[in-house]
Amino acid sequence: GDSVTQMEGPVTLSEEAFLTINCTYTATGYPSLFWYVQYPGEGLQLLLKATKADDKGSNKGFEATYRKETTSFHLEKGSVQVSDSAVYFCALRDTGRRALTFGSGTRLQVQP
Amino acid sequence: NAGVTQTPKFQVLKTGQSMTLQCAQDMNHNSMYWYRQDPGMGLRLIYYSASEGTTDKGEVPNGYNVSRLNKREFSLRLESAAPSQTSVYFCASSELDQILTEAFFGQGTRLTVV
């Protein structure tokens, strides 16, 4: 079956530091890949997405590239802010599947 | 623009009690979902409804029932609550016909079963 593996958190960084959150996946088909963000007390919001190999999703300074050869979709940001503190979820929707499969989430804490 | 609305936001139940979590979306989406979120486990799919009048089991359906009342509304019912059902519940909706299908989530219901 499908699965998503994320690095365990929490990840604690100082403001303006570089961020990488690793995500790898297994899928039986050719999935679409997503990063969702959950701010404290809120639901999940889509951060970025990619549908095919070598596609780069980007939004709000975050980027992730769909790497089919390494089955990865790592999230990066060049300079984090305190306001980026949240839980980040990597997810996929496989070919022919109706629902998303989520990773366990990675909590990011950015200190001023 | 409300998006996905869940009620209630918080609920405490005693073991054995029943309740229904309500969800409504105003985006005219065909598909709706119920997930539960537990620490260290991400979101797990309970049930989903691909379209009005259809429902299917997800990864963790035991102890739950659902009703797709119409295109807008999708409810989740706990017939006899158990402490293992203490969790945060999220409803989501999406439009499957689009290639880049993203799901839109409600703000969640925090349920505690004592």
Side-chain angles (χ1 to χ4, degrees), chain A residues 32 34 36 38 41-44 46 49-51 89 93 97-100 102-105, chain B residues 33 35 37 40-43 45 48 50 90 94 96 98-103 105-107:
Chain A
S32 298
F34 306 83
Y36 280 81
Q38 184 181 30
E42 298 185 10
L44 279 72
L46 180 68
K49 54 192 175 185
T51 57
F89 292 92
R93 189 174 73 84
R97 296 294 298 274
R98 299 193 180 277
L100 293 165
F102 285 88
S104 58
Chain B
Y33 313 84
Y35 288 89
Q37 181 183 26
M41 302 186 75
L43 277 76
L45 183 67
Y48 65 95
F90 286 100
S94 70
L96 277 180
Q98 298 174 6
I99 294 174
L100 282 178
T101 301
E102 65 179 274
F105 285 80
Q107 291 197 318

Side-chain angles (χ1 to χ4, degrees), chain B residues 11-49:
Chain B
Q11 184 71 49
V12 179
L13 290 179
K14 294 182 179 179
T15 298
Q17 285 186 317
S18 63
M19 80 161 294
T20 299
L21 281 64
Q22 306 287 352
C23 175
Q25 52 93 8
D26 62 3
M27 294 171 282
N28 202 37
H29 286 162
N30 284 311
S31 299
M32 298 186 72
Y33 313 84
W34 277 104
Y35 288 89
R36 59 178 288 172
Q37 181 183 26
D38 300 295
M41 302 186 75
L43 277 76
R44 292 181 293 169
L45 183 67
I46 305 171
Y47 270 95
Y48 65 95
S49 171

